[in-house]
Amino acid sequence: MRKGINVLLVVLLVLGLGGLAFAQVANPEWWQKAAEPYKGVVIKGISESTPPSKAMVEVAAPEFEKLTGIKVQFEVTSWDEMYNKSIQDLQSGAGIYDFIYVEQDIIYAYLEQNWLTNLTPFIQNSAITEPNFDLDDFTSFINYFKDAEGNIFAIPFEAFLKSYIYRKDLFEDPEIQKAFKEKYGYDLAVPTNWDQYTDIAKFFTEYGKEKGIELYGHVAQAKTHPCVAYEMCESIWPAWGIYNWGINLETMRASVDKGGTLNSEQAKKAFRWYVDMLQYAPPGVRTYTWDETAAVFGAGKIAQGLIYLENIGWLATDPTRSAVIGKIGVALPPTAPGVLEEAKAGKGYIGYYDGGALGIPHSAKNKEAAWLFIQWCARKEWQAEFAKLATRVVRKSTFDDPLIKELDPKMGGYFTLLKEQGHLFAGAPPLPMHRPLNEIYLKWISKAVAGEISPEEALDNLAQEVDQLMEELGY
Amino acid sequence: MRENKAQAWGLIAPTLTLMILIGVIPVLYIIYLSAFKYNVFSRVGMVYTGFNNFRKLMFDQDFLKSLRLGLTFVVLCCAIEMPLGLLIANLLTFEFKGKGIFRTIMTLPLAMAPISIGSMWVLLTNPDIGPIPFYLRKVGIDYNIGVNASQAFFTTVLVDVWHWTPFVTLTLMAGLSSLPKQPYEAALVDGANRWQTFRYVTLPLLKPILLTTLFIRIMDTFRIFDEVWMLTSGGPGTATRYVSIHLVRLVLQSMEYGYSSAMSLFLLYLTIVMCWLLLTFISSSQEAS
């Protein structure tokens, strides 16, 4: 009897959830009609294992299947594997995938090779594009997925900042504030420059030691892994005024004597700072990638740091994973003198406006069905729930949704920061060869991080190798 | 007779076709690619450079370092695994309580996928939460494979020893159980003690099996990838960037197909030479025995 009641409850719950889900579909008849020719088709996709991808796999895909009859096989895997598998499929033209994750920095490479399907004709086709798709509602992030003629090659599903995050509860503790002021002579507050950041890092690491608690003033993604190169290029160097990976986009060279800034005094100063700062991070920092930096912050062991804020959703709301709920503050990263002003004037940027989109490989076998799924993930009425599940916003209207307004304070004002200050951040520079570049950056940066050579020597060698690679690749 | 020949060819044709498709053609393609400068993201496409990639290889400090590291790794792992495996195999010839359980536990690592082994050791060695750094800190040893190059290197050796010594043990156990009884009876009659029996009877009889096992282990450790990739990704810096990791980074990350092909061919050549040397040694030792 009890078992029967349980089954009934589950059935009712499933039906209830199903009803709830379909209530969010603005135009279900249109979807069913548009999908009619593709009913039973299986579309295959691949993406990185990020919160947005998981939300698409666990929520969007099952609902889409139920409504349209198109089956979705969505492979969510590690970043490296996602890239390797996608590139192999694109390069060989095998047509394994019908849609792929197009990270914002890789699109220049894909466009150069003509590996993506132009979506503009799809968007213009009313038989397969929902009337409420509303291209103008997307934030300016969609511009990074267009070619020179304005054709769209991928539709954003995630966009986030890598910015400054801190423990509000620690910063607002009167005793800590007093101790900090006594030590450094100024008030403990969100740092606006790197010297303040360094003082705070030092202060909290020493504070942790004094109190016998696991608390550190800094965190970094310093593992021998592509992430360490991305950290320097995406968030450290830009905030020190070194843009575009230190490469001069006109001469396509990196060394100072060829017009670049990669081995400039400022780049070396920033890199030396980065390596020196690792002493204020947890002992395991050189084994951290982007995942561990967020995890260790969630464990309550970090007072401040720069992390990918796509993680702030679970950090701020998931009690099973986070020990810092209600204690998080978010702000702009510290910058070197003049950098913020340059960003405000549109001449530079203080960090990456990172993210990705879903695109269709040139060799895909079910392009129209894949396009329907991509639209489904980008549909307006789902965006607030999607943002809640995965802390990302790609449509302007999402910022005004009551759900997002309610969530914003819980996330330390992250959505407001994204909306109002997002323009100070920028997408990756148009470097179609960024994959081989990342590998060279990783090699030299990790050598310096491991102490094999000095940061200055690493950058001189790196700049020279980048110049050589550019020449070899025909730039 | 002719009909029989045709029938034989017909029977091996599928295997031959498969071998040509998955063995010969890829190698030929790699030989072809090795003569080009070719990166997927290149604007100039494929540029014929003849033997230039091989010349470059001989002066590439990163490659030479990874090769040196890889060979040191092979020597160390085999030098530990072979005697240790032999010792355990010998001990397991004796009857003792719990032998069955010990043998089962010992062989467990062999049943695990290398990638899982790497993940497990990541947790064991994690400086923040891992039990190994925790207990070593208690005895005054600061153990951190993210920082200390030597510790990272020796940890990868330890992981390989932990993972593959059971394989050596099992192979040698099988070898020990198949040895003839007469030489042992003769040794007993001659009054040889345990050590003398092992030194002058067991070891010479086991030599071909020992060399074959060593041969397999050399090949395997030379191409180690999964465990190290998971554990250190070649770091810290380039401390554990063994030749297979170096190659994968070049192919999959940098997309340097031409140069990577030349590197693969060189490594294939090196492996063949090593195999040939060992096989010659095994054959000569068999003839001598």
Side-chain angles (χ1 to χ4, degrees), chain A residues 403-416:
Chain A
L403 185 63
I404 296 305
K405 286 189 168 169
E406 189 196 322
L407 266 177
D408 193 36
K410 288 181 192 163
M411 296 191 182
Y414 172 62
F415 288 125
T416 306

Side-chain angles (χ1 to χ4, degrees), chain A residues 235-347:
Chain A
S235 52
I236 307 297
W237 273 323
W240 284 76
I242 305 297
Y243 310 123
N244 304 322
W245 299 34
I247 296 168
N248 182 326
L249 296 180
E250 282 168 22
T251 62
M252 279 297 197
R253 295 294 181 269
S255 59
V256 169
D257 52 0
K258 288 181 179 163
T261 53
L262 189 53
N263 59 340
S264 64
E265 284 312 309
Q266 185 70 353
K268 287 177 178 174
K269 205 172 152 190
F271 191 27
R272 165 66 67 184
W273 174 89
Y274 180 79
V275 175
D276 289 346
M277 282 298 289
L278 296 175
Q279 63 184 302
Y280 304 120
V285 68
R286 286 178 177 83
T287 63
Y288 291 177
T289 65
W290 30 61
D291 294 331
E292 288 84 2
T293 54
V296 78
F297 189 90
K301 295 178 182 175
I302 307 296
Q304 62 163 4
L306 296 171
I307 69 165
Y308 285 108
L309 293 178
E310 62 182 336
N311 293 293
I312 200 170
W314 68 264
L315 283 172
T317 58
D318 186 350
T320 61
R321 296 170 72 195
S322 173
V324 292
I325 294 171
K327 298 172 181 173
I328 300 172
V330 176
L332 293 181
T335 46
V339 173
L340 192 61
E341 290 70 27
E342 277 183 347
K344 282 179 180 169
K347 291 176 185 165

Side-chain angles (χ1 to χ4, degrees), chain A residues 9-53:
Chain A
L9 280 172
V10 170
V11 171
L12 286 172
L13 188 69
V14 169
L15 286 174
L17 284 176
L20 195 73
F22 285 123
Q24 290 171 343
V25 183
N27 199 353
E29 299 79 22
W30 182 89
W31 287 99
Q32 280 165 337
K33 196 181 163 203
E36 192 57 43
Y38 318 108
K39 213 170 181 175
V41 160
V42 180
I43 53 169
K44 292 179 187 167
I46 187 165
S47 183
E48 188 192 353
S49 174
T50 58
S53 298

